[in-house]
Amino acid sequence: MKIAVFGNLWQDHRVADIRKIVEAVRGSGAFVEVEQAFGDYLRGLVPDFRADKVVGELDHVSADVVLSIGGDGTFLRAAAWVGCRETPIVGINTGHLGYLAEFSASDLDSLLSSIKTGEVYTERRTLLQVSTDAGVALTNRFALNDVAIIKNASASMLAMHATIDSTPLTTYLGDGLIVATPTGSTAYNLSVGGPIIHPSGACLVMSPIAAHSLTMRPLVLPDDVEISIHTCSERSHTFRLSIDGESLSLPMGSTVKMRKADFGVRVVLRRDHDFAQTLRSKLMWGIDVR
C-alpha cells in the first residue's frame, strides 16, 4: 500500500495531532510519499519524520490514497495536486469547519486499516474545467468547489455577458458571478444566497454577487453545458478570476469558459456518511438559536 501525504504549512499549534498522524502512517507499514514543501515543514515539526519518497512539483503522485492534512482549503489544493489521476483523497481535519475534511487524527488507525483492506467508501465529485482567451496562464484549470468572476476592489459595477452552449442567456450586472459544482454549493455559493445541491446532483449553479437587479437570481443548470462569461466595465481595465479560492487578475474584455471536466475527484467518506447529518452538524441546519 502506498500513501501520499499533503498538508498546509501553518499547523504549528496542532503539533500533537500532526505527530499522531505521522506515527499512525509510519506504523501502518505503508510506502509513504510526501509532497515536497509539506515534507520540509513536517521535518521542522516532527524531526524524526521520514518518507520513502518526496514528490516534487513536477512529479506524479503514484500512491493508492492521499491524506490531506488541514482544512477544506487544503483539501481543494490536494485535489489540484492529484489532478486527473483520481487518487482517493482522505481529508484529515486540523482546520476549522472540515466540510470536506471529515476525519480527525484519532480516526486514522482504523481508517488506515480500512484503506489496507480496500473497505473505504468513496464518492466521485464533479470538477469544473476552466479556460480563457486572456492570454494568461492558469496555474490551476480545475475547480472542485467554484469559479468566481469578481470586480476589483476599487472598480465600478461589472457587466458579465453569459452564454449557455452558444445561446445568449443574460447580462449580469453586479460585483461578480459564481459558478459552483454541487460540492461547492455549500461554500461561496451559499454565502450569496445560492441553493444547496446534493453532491451527487448532475448540475451546476450560477449565482450573482450583489446583483444590480432583483430579477437576477441563482440559476441551476445541467452539468453537460458549457458556460461562457464575457466581461466588460466602463471604469476598470481588469477583473479577478478565482478558481477554488486561488485568484489572478485578467484583462477586462476577456472571456472565461467553464464545463464539466472529463475526470473527477474521489473523496473518501465515512461508511455511515449522511448528507443530511453533515448539513446539521457542519452548517447547523435547522437549529433554532433563539
Side-chain angles (χ1 to χ4, degrees), residues 162-169 206 219 221-222 225-229:
T163 301
I164 308 298
D165 284 343
S166 301
T167 300
L169 174 65
M206 295 173 60
L219 176 64
L221 297 164
V225 301
E226 181 180 76
I227 300 169
S228 178
I229 308 295

Side-chain angles (χ1 to χ4, degrees), residues 44-279:
L45 285 185
V46 186
D48 57 347
F49 170 74
R50 296 291 182 273
D52 299 297
K53 179 182 178 182
V54 176
V55 182
E57 185 177 347
L58 300 179
D59 298 328
H60 294 300
V61 181
S62 62
D64 303 304
V65 67
V66 172
L67 300 186
S68 170
I69 304 170
D72 289 342
T74 305
F75 193 101
L76 296 176
R77 293 192 296 275
W81 186 54
V82 168
C84 64
R85 290 174 291 279
E86 295 201 12
T87 308
I89 304 174
V90 179
I92 309 297
N93 185 32
T94 60
H96 177 55
L97 181 62
Y99 195 84
L100 286 167
E102 70 170 20
F103 294 93
S104 67
S106 60
D107 296 321
L108 206 52
D109 285 329
S110 61
L111 179 61
L112 290 173
S113 177
S114 297
I115 292 171
K116 188 178 294 187
T117 58
E119 296 177 350
V120 294
Y121 169 64
T122 65
E123 277 187 357
R124 189 175 187 270
R125 301 291 181 86
T126 295
L127 277 173
L128 273 172
Q129 181 171 328
V130 188
S131 62
T132 178
D133 63 357
V136 176
L138 302 179
T139 55
N140 178 23
R141 297 187 300 113
F142 300 95
L144 175 59
N145 264 0
D146 50 48
V147 177
I149 295 168
I150 314 165
K151 74 170 189 176
N152 280 325
S154 60
S156 61
M157 184 170 55
L158 185 62
M160 296 154 287
H161 305 297
T163 301
I164 308 298
D165 284 343
S166 301
T167 300
L169 174 65
T170 191
T171 297
Y172 290 92
L173 300 173
D175 285 359
L177 183 68
I178 300 165
V179 179
T181 66
T183 299
S185 68
T186 52
Y188 197 1
N189 167 73
L190 181 60
S191 72
V192 300
I196 293 176
I197 299 172
H198 193 281
S200 64
C203 55
L204 305 172
V205 59
M206 295 173 60
S207 296
I209 304 169
H212 189 61
S213 170
L214 291 176
T215 63
M216 293 297 170
R217 299 295 182 182
L219 176 64
V220 178
L221 297 164
D223 67 3
D224 60 353
V225 301
E226 181 180 76
I227 300 169
S228 178
I229 308 295
H230 180 76
T231 59
C232 62
S233 173
E234 295 180 355
R235 300 184 184 180
S236 179
H237 299 295
T238 60
F239 67 97
R240 304 296 297 179
L241 174 65
S242 173
I243 302 174
D244 271 353
E246 295 186 11
S247 67
L248 72 162
S249 181
L250 296 185
M252 196 64 67
S254 302
T255 298
V256 178
K257 293 184 178 182
M258 292 150 282
R259 65 173 182 84
K260 180 181 177 181
D262 295 331
F263 57 92
V265 173
R266 293 174 63 195
V267 181
V268 177
L269 300 170
R270 299 178 187 276
R271 283 208 163 271
D272 60 352
H273 175 83
D274 178 82
F275 179 62
Q277 173 59 31
T278 301
L279 291 181

